[in-house]
Amino acid sequence: MTIGFERGAIYRPPFTWEGGPTLGPDEDAFTMAVGAIEALPGRSEPPLTPRVHLVGDFPTLLEWALPEYLGRPVEISRHAGGAPGLLSALQEAASAEGDLPYLVLAVDLGGPQGPRAAALEFGPNPAPHPPEWTSVIGIEGAAALAGDVLTRAGAVPKRVGPEAGPPWAVDRAASFSQTPAAQVSEGAYVPRARYLENLSSRWRLEADRCGACEHSTFPRRGACRYCGRSDRLSTTTLPRDGARVVAATVLAKGGQPTEFDPQVEALGPYGVVLAELVPGVRLTLQVSDARPGEVRIGDSVGTRLRRLYPMEGEWRYGRKAVPMRA
Ligand SMILES: [Zn+2]
């Protein structure tokens, strides 16, 4: 089997600060990598490869969070950032794994072109014009390198972020701290076990599809919510984009669940919507990449994995609604 570059995508946060691109207040290397994976062209499913090479400064929580997001165990190799790290990842993959598919996730948090992440999938169905690896040596920045590789491969990356609409200004000074607080107030405590419960539904939008009555149950709970049967269930993934807003509100100070206190302190009120993903499946989502009140009933929204709140020294993540601008 020959392994080659199959597809790739670059994700850039849609935020600006003082005229330049910047990380959004609820974004980090993990959410950007997920953004790149979900922007991969072609198939709607994330890559199935069990081998992932991380290039750049990814938080340690990816050791468990990435398998959780992908929905299966993965072998993770870490590499330094920039072009040297990317080359080392490619060399290691080619020599150690030979004919096995793999995924490269590269992140560049503060390059001259702003923060961005790239997802590059290598597998048995290579793109018709493979990248010329020898020509990329010496280019600074893994994401820049990835972009160059993609261009050479003739695979125009699907970009999400600024192209999706006007850049959304964020005041970095008012952003969340990059280091989550270890202590939270008693009332704000969300047990880790509860957070990990149903993560496949909340991160990947997995639902139980009932073969008896054709309804979808979300979040998954092992039995059909409509007919009660548990013997005809199969796993289905709800669409990430195109949900219809059926209710919208803005939570101001005092109205938020206590785990969101630090966010409201730092950033002020935020929007919340009830969105219908498919007929009969509605989900309450915090709104991101938009001003409070900007997303209204009838709007179409996408869902993105973002930071929710810090808890026990770690950021917790979930899907939020983002406007789908024409
Ligand atoms: Zn049913």
Side-chain angles (χ1 to χ4, degrees):
M1 186 162 62
T2 306
I3 296 300
F5 173 77
E6 280 195 6
R7 55 178 183 156
I10 295 176
Y11 175 85
R12 304 159 187 268
F15 299 92
T16 63
W17 185 66
E18 291 189 343
T22 188
L23 267 182
D26 59 358
E27 299 222 72
D28 60 21
F30 177 42
T31 67
M32 287 202 300
V34 168
I37 290 172
E38 294 182 352
L40 285 170
R43 304 188 291 274
S44 60
E45 283 297 299
L48 290 169
T49 170
R51 288 164 187 81
V52 180
H53 292 266
L54 300 179
V55 176
D57 192 12
F58 284 99
T60 55
L61 66 81
L62 261 77
E63 305 294 337
W64 71 265
L66 191 59
E68 194 68 49
Y69 168 72
L70 293 171
R72 59 189 167 273
V74 288
E75 290 171 21
I76 295 176
S77 298
R78 286 179 177 266
H79 306 267
L86 183 54
L87 286 173
S88 119
L90 295 169
Q91 282 162 358
E92 182 183 313
S95 60
E97 297 159 2
D99 56 354
L100 297 173
Y102 60 95
L103 174 71
V104 174
L105 297 175
V107 69
D108 184 356
L109 289 171
Q113 299 188 53
R116 44 188 184 162
L120 308 171
E121 188 184 8
F122 295 80
N125 304 301
H129 306 290
E132 300 166 33
W133 299 112
T134 52
S135 66
V136 300
I137 297 173
I139 299 173
E140 287 301 315
L145 178 55
D148 186 62
V149 165
L150 292 172
T151 306
R152 286 165 193 280
V156 178
K158 178 187 169 193
R159 294 188 175 179
V160 291
E163 289 80 0
W168 207 77
V170 61
D171 181 354
R172 194 192 294 263
S175 294
F176 273 134
S177 154
Q178 293 299 304
T179 311
Q183 300 296 323
V184 291
S185 69
E186 190 81 0
Y189 182 67
V190 179
R192 188 176 170 80
R194 203 170 92 208
Y195 167 60
L196 296 178
E197 211 173 277
N198 269 329
L199 222 47
S200 66
S201 285
R202 288 188 285 112
W203 282 12
R204 292 199 301 281
L205 299 182
E206 281 186 2
D208 284 331
R209 175 85 179 163
C210 178
C213 76
E214 301 291 306
H215 284 99
S216 292
T217 299
F218 180 92
R220 304 177 68 178
R221 59 178 197 182
C224 177
R225 188 155 60 97
Y226 297 84
C227 74
R229 291 179 67 159
S230 57
D231 58 332
R232 300 279 306 276
L233 298 180
S234 60
T235 301
T236 185
T237 304
L238 302 173
R240 289 190 292 264
D241 290 335
R244 188 65 55 187
V245 174
V246 294
T249 188
V250 172
L251 292 186
K253 191 168 183 174
Q256 77 278 8
T258 46
E259 61 268 29
F260 292 105
D261 286 354
Q263 174 184 330
V264 173
E265 282 298 322
L267 301 169
Y270 62 88
V272 172
V273 294
L274 182 64
E276 190 160 69
L277 277 64
V278 294
V281 177
R282 294 178 171 190
L283 186 55
T284 301
L285 297 163
Q286 190 177 133
V287 177
S288 190
D289 303 8
R291 290 162 187 80
E294 185 181 330
V295 175
R296 296 188 174 88
I297 292 172
D299 285 357
S300 182
V301 291
T303 70
R304 301 287 179 266
L305 194 73
R306 293 291 173 86
R307 281 178 172 177
L308 291 178
Y309 49 82
M311 188 74 59
E312 297 173 317
E314 188 178 276
W315 284 98
R316 292 189 179 174
Y317 300 82
R319 288 207 165 255
K320 296 184 182 179
V322 299
M324 295 191 71
R325 299 179 172 101

